[in-house]
Amino acid sequence: MATARDIAHPSGDRAVSYSIDNSPVATFHSPLSGRNSFMDNVILSKAAQKQLKPFNTEDIKILLLENVNQTGKDILTRQGYQVEALKTSLPEAQLIEKIRDVHVIGIRSKTKLTDKVLREAKNLLVVGCFCIGTNQVDLDYAAKHGIAVFNSPFANSRSVAELVIAEIITLARQLGDRSNEMHRGTWNKVSAKCWEIRGKTLGIVGYGHIGSQLSVLAEAMGMSVVYYDILTLMAIGSAKQVPTLDQLLEEADFVSLHVPETPETKAMISNKQFEQMKTGSYLINASRGTVVDIPALIKAMRANKIAGAALDVYPNEPAANGDYFNANLNTWGEDLRGLNNIILTPHIGGSTEEAQRAIGVEVAEALVRYINQGITFGSVNLPEITLRSLTLDEANHARIIYIHRNVPGVLRKVNEILAEHNVDKQITDSKGGIAYLMADISGIKTEDIKDIHDRLDSLTSRILTRVLY
Ligand SMILES: NC(=O)c1ccc[n+]([C@@H]2O[C@H](COP(=O)([O-])OP(=O)(O)OC[C@H]3O[C@@H](n4cnc5c(N)ncnc54)[C@H](O)[C@@H]3O)[C@@H](O)[C@H]2O)c1
Ligand SMILES: O=C(O)CC[C@@H](O)C(=O)O
């Protein structure tokens, strides 16, 4: 039955209108993938790989926001998809208007995909976060509605770690202030309260991809490293894990934050924590803006408790470049700008050519694998499923994808439907209340495909049914 999610297939005998999620029909297309990636080689048995699509590729509509790198745009465009790319994020009303129409959306950190926005996204199959953080997406709502979310978990980690190293030296030597003075024509040659970083202690909060990279770089520059994490993690080099945040704050000359945005990390550094820090110590935040209580930081710096700070992230960040970093955005904006020895950067920790190119490739390839093959490897909100690709030798095969609520008895019902056919291979996994089943069926006729699709789709456990062939 044709619905608002339908896509018309103008060509071929089997051209019929069906939505992407429920389309068992249409012309077979076999465009070659743009790149030979690791995943192509490992999972898709490249040699005789058959591209599975139940739709004309040019019908897939993709909206890319926030200036996604050209590498990502190229991969998606080469697939034949319709790609619209904007340099900025969009205000909520415009986002809702646009998202109704697309099957795929690519975003970075600014676009908030809340339940309110996702509710309107009736055609949406998948979200690509062209960044590390996924806190801007309601992952739970997306999973419950069969929308897969992918990100790039570590392609910009090194860029962030390098920025933090630069900031440690810049703060220790008050370089920002000296440079600003010179720009105003003032020569101010001082050494008071300017330090080497050699022998100083760096406290890293969150010892994941970025924190551990930073640890290596800091030790190479002669710093001692202590770290605090909710997990017990293997120390790299001579770094030492401490059992509490309190202990880290008491020991560190520089505190650098590398935790995700969660309810537990909200205002993790506030008045009490600034009091615990050493007098004359420094704070760096390149994680998320909600992690530091900024009015408390302003107070601690005015009291000379904290000798300097570097902030790359803020509770409210503008959707586009321009003169937006003012009191309208964050009430304390002016107070922050008036402090000495504070480095303020516009969320550029991961903004290097290397990182953005790598992220573009990684996320775009994940989107293509998901759209064309149903593979969820790397998804942050659905069970991670891969299944060996169908090959060109395997004619009359179809791939069934059934995303469903993880309730007792579903597999029996699904297999009653599939049992009338030859199931070549099948895999299923669950995450929370959501399960993902993928099965390849051989010797199939077009009318069987539609029948399987419609019967699966009528089960009460169904979230999303896709049939690819
Ligand atoms: N400024 C930027 O441009 C930029 C770029 C990349 C990432 N980020 C931010 O940096 C964060 C960290 O990135 P990552 O790749 O290192 O993440 P990661 O997931 O690899 O590491 C995060 C670490 O924090 C730990 N953690 C979680 N909650 C904690 C808590 N309450 N207390 C202590 N430790 C806790 C985790 O156990 C994990 O080891 C990201 O979530 C993202 O928000 C910012
Ligand atoms: O590029 C961005 O907008 C986000 C960068 C960073 O915060 C991330 O989460 O990877």
Side-chain angles (χ1 to χ4, degrees):
M1 171 74 68
T3 70
R5 303 172 78 169
D6 289 354
I7 288 180
H9 298 281
S11 59
D13 295 346
R14 294 146 71 200
V16 185
S17 281
Y18 279 102
S19 64
I20 288 177
D21 64 319
N22 66 2
S23 174
V25 292
T27 322
F28 172 68
H29 295 268
S30 186
L32 290 174
S33 175
R35 287 172 53 90
N36 295 351
S37 71
F38 169 78
M39 280 293 292
D40 281 340
N41 292 325
V42 171
I43 294 171
L44 305 181
S45 64
K46 191 82 178 140
Q49 174 190 328
K50 172 172 156 182
Q51 296 279 329
L52 299 172
K53 290 173 193 169
F55 43 79
N56 288 328
T57 46
E58 60 269 26
D59 290 330
I60 288 283
K61 290 190 186 152
I62 302 188
L63 176 64
L64 299 178
L65 299 176
E66 303 187 56
N67 203 18
V68 165
N69 192 265
Q70 193 63 39
T71 53
K73 289 183 216 161
D74 288 347
I75 288 170
L76 298 169
T77 309
R78 272 202 299 267
Q79 286 291 320
Y81 308 145
Q82 291 176 42
V83 181
E84 180 183 3
L86 303 182
K87 285 208 177 309
T88 67
S89 178
L90 288 174
E92 189 177 74
Q94 282 180 40
L95 179 61
I96 285 177
E97 213 37 58
K98 285 242 171 218
I99 208 169
R100 288 195 178 115
D101 201 32
V102 300
H103 308 106
V104 182
I105 187 163
I107 60 169
R108 289 169 64 184
S109 55
K110 306 283 180 296
T111 305
K112 306 272 177 269
L113 296 181
T114 57
D115 59 343
K116 182 177 172 199
V117 173
L118 290 174
R119 200 171 301 126
E120 303 294 329
K122 302 290 185 216
N123 289 318
L124 196 65
L125 279 177
V126 54
V127 175
C129 297
F130 286 77
C131 56
I132 292 182
T134 53
N135 55 292
Q136 69 281 36
V137 183
D138 188 332
L139 296 176
D140 190 48
Y141 183 95
K144 285 186 176 137
H145 292 79
I147 302 166
V149 181
F150 293 89
N151 73 338
S152 171
F154 46 78
N156 66 18
S157 310
R158 172 72 187 208
S159 301
V160 181
E162 287 188 12
L163 180 73
V164 173
I165 287 291
E167 290 175 336
I168 291 172
I169 298 175
T170 303
L171 292 174
R173 300 293 295 274
Q174 303 178 1
L175 293 185
D177 289 358
R178 292 301 86 76
S179 176
N180 285 340
E181 288 156 4
M182 289 293 274
H183 279 270
R184 294 195 299 267
T186 305
W187 184 273
N188 183 23
K189 183 176 164 99
V190 290
S191 54
K193 298 193 175 159
C194 293
W195 312 97
E196 292 185 351
I197 66 166
R198 176 174 53 164
K200 306 298 182 299
T201 298
L202 170 64
I204 299 175
V205 183
Y207 202 66
H209 291 110
I210 299 171
S212 55
Q213 276 279 316
L214 175 62
S215 174
V216 174
L217 298 179
E219 284 201 333
M221 302 187 74
M223 300 187 84
S224 301
V225 175
V226 292
Y227 62 92
Y228 167 69
D229 200 292
I230 43 170
L231 303 176
T232 301
L233 293 168
M234 188 187 75
I236 295 178
S238 307
K240 188 173 68 138
Q241 182 157 13
V242 292
T244 60
L245 178 61
D246 295 355
Q247 186 174 334
L248 179 139
L249 297 173
E250 282 157 19
E251 286 185 25
D253 300 300
F254 295 82
V255 173
S256 193
L257 306 172
H258 301 288
V259 288
E261 179 181 274
T262 64
E264 293 73 35
T265 62
K266 191 172 164 57
M268 184 180 204
I269 305 296
S270 187
N271 288 312
K272 174 175 171 265
Q273 289 70 32
F274 286 119
E275 272 162 35
Q276 287 173 300
M277 286 173 69
K278 287 181 175 177
T279 297
S281 59
Y282 305 84
L283 178 78
I284 297 167
N285 185 19
S287 61
R288 281 294 179 263
T290 51
V291 179
V292 175
D293 174 354
I294 304 232
L297 170 67
I298 294 169
K299 197 167 127 203
M301 287 187 72
R302 283 181 175 159
N304 293 323
K305 174 75 182 180
I306 301 299
L311 302 179
D312 187 44
V313 286
Y314 309 87
N316 296 313
E317 297 180 3
N321 289 346
D323 299 333
Y324 301 115
F325 193 67
N326 52 36
N328 294 334
L329 191 68
N330 293 297
T331 47
W332 34 253
E334 299 299 325
D335 292 339
L336 199 64
R337 286 217 299 261
L339 296 169
N340 287 331
N341 207 22
I342 187 156
I343 303 167
L344 303 175
T345 48
H347 202 149
I348 52 163
S351 296
T352 61
E353 294 282 359
E354 292 91 338
Q356 293 308 312
R357 284 179 196 158
I359 289 172
V361 171
E362 186 180 2
V363 178
E365 287 188 341
L367 294 176
V368 171
R369 278 193 301 273
Y370 185 71
I371 298 165
N372 294 357
Q373 306 263 352
I375 291 169
T376 55
F377 184 80
S379 169
V380 295
N381 69 333
L382 291 181
E384 293 192 68
I385 294 276
T386 62
L387 200 57
R388 177 173 55 77
S389 169
L390 291 177
T391 66
L392 290 173
D393 302 335
E394 294 168 297
N396 303 322
H397 283 57
R399 173 163 290 183
I400 313 293
I401 293 159
Y402 185 62
I403 309 178
H404 57 277
R405 280 178 282 286
N406 186 20
V407 289
V410 176
L411 287 185
R412 182 173 47 78
K413 287 186 184 152
V414 169
N415 282 321
E416 269 167 22
I417 296 168
L418 300 185
E420 294 166 20
H421 303 275
N422 187 33
V423 178
D424 276 3
K425 49 192 186 296
Q426 182 174 352
I427 186 165
T428 181
D429 197 358
S430 64
K431 186 169 181 171
I434 310 299
Y436 195 95
L437 177 143
M438 193 144 69
D440 285 348
I441 294 182
S442 60
I444 198 139
K445 299 193 205 75
T446 309
E447 53 272 26
D448 295 337
I449 293 174
K450 175 157 171 37
D451 178 64
I452 293 173
H453 172 273
D454 290 350
R455 287 171 67 190
L456 286 174
D457 218 41
S458 66
L459 297 178
T460 53
S461 55
R462 164 211 183 263
I463 294 176
L464 192 74
T465 312
R466 297 173 71 199
V467 183
L468 308 178
Y469 69 104

